Amino acid sequence: MEIWINPACSKCRSAIGLLDAEGAEYTVRRYLEDVPTEDEIREVLTRLGLEPWDITRTQEAAAKELGLKDWPRDASARDRWVRALAEHPKLIQRPIITADDGTAVVARSDEAVRDALARE
């Protein structure tokens, strides 16, 4: 199991705390420092069953600068969104847990973290 975190994020710290409390084995990826490639983002999206705009933090300054709210949300724009996430990792919703069974969850709640733990 791997968890993508920003240490400054309270939801990330909460998820780590719950994983620790449950004795889970996991790897931490500080995705602002170890930035995921476009291919890694595509893989996580497949595992999540989501589109790039579903995991984009649209209120971030970079999102506003890029004008993301006006970008199309369809297959023709998918690569553009993925590229934006790779170039501006702060836009990636967090934390994301990739489970050993090949799935992933956006773990913004204790329930989502427990869901990831149940997939081991």
Side-chain angles (χ1 to χ4, degrees):
M1 175 184 317
E2 182 176 78
I3 182 168
W4 291 9
I5 68 157
N6 172 352
C9 166
S10 64
K11 301 261 186 213
C12 293
R13 292 191 306 271
S14 176
I16 293 281
L18 185 53
L19 291 174
D20 288 345
E22 294 294 328
E25 291 185 26
Y26 61 92
T27 303
V28 170
R29 180 171 185 170
R30 293 178 179 217
Y31 70 93
L32 297 179
E33 299 162 16
D34 182 7
V35 178
T37 65
E38 289 182 32
D39 285 342
E40 288 175 310
I41 292 169
R42 283 187 192 90
E43 179 189 342
V44 162
L45 288 167
T46 298
R47 293 173 77 165
L48 287 166
L50 297 173
E51 293 295 337
W53 45 87
D54 296 327
I55 66 161
T56 300
R57 298 172 54 84
T58 57
Q59 298 305 311
E60 290 288 333
K64 292 176 181 174
E65 288 170 21
L66 292 168
L68 289 183
K69 69 179 179 67
D70 298 323
W71 287 16
R73 295 180 182 218
D74 58 29
S76 70
R78 191 173 203 268
D79 285 343
R80 184 180 182 196
W81 282 86
V82 169
R83 193 167 36 258
L85 292 173
E87 291 173 1
H88 306 277
K90 203 170 201 176
L91 296 177
I92 300 171
Q93 189 58 264
R94 60 191 185 246
I96 293 176
I97 297 176
T98 55
D100 291 341
D101 72 352
T103 62
V105 297
V106 178
R108 293 190 56 75
S109 67
D110 287 353
E111 295 76 27
V113 175
R114 286 190 184 94
D115 181 37
L117 285 167
R119 297 178 187 206
E120 291 305 297

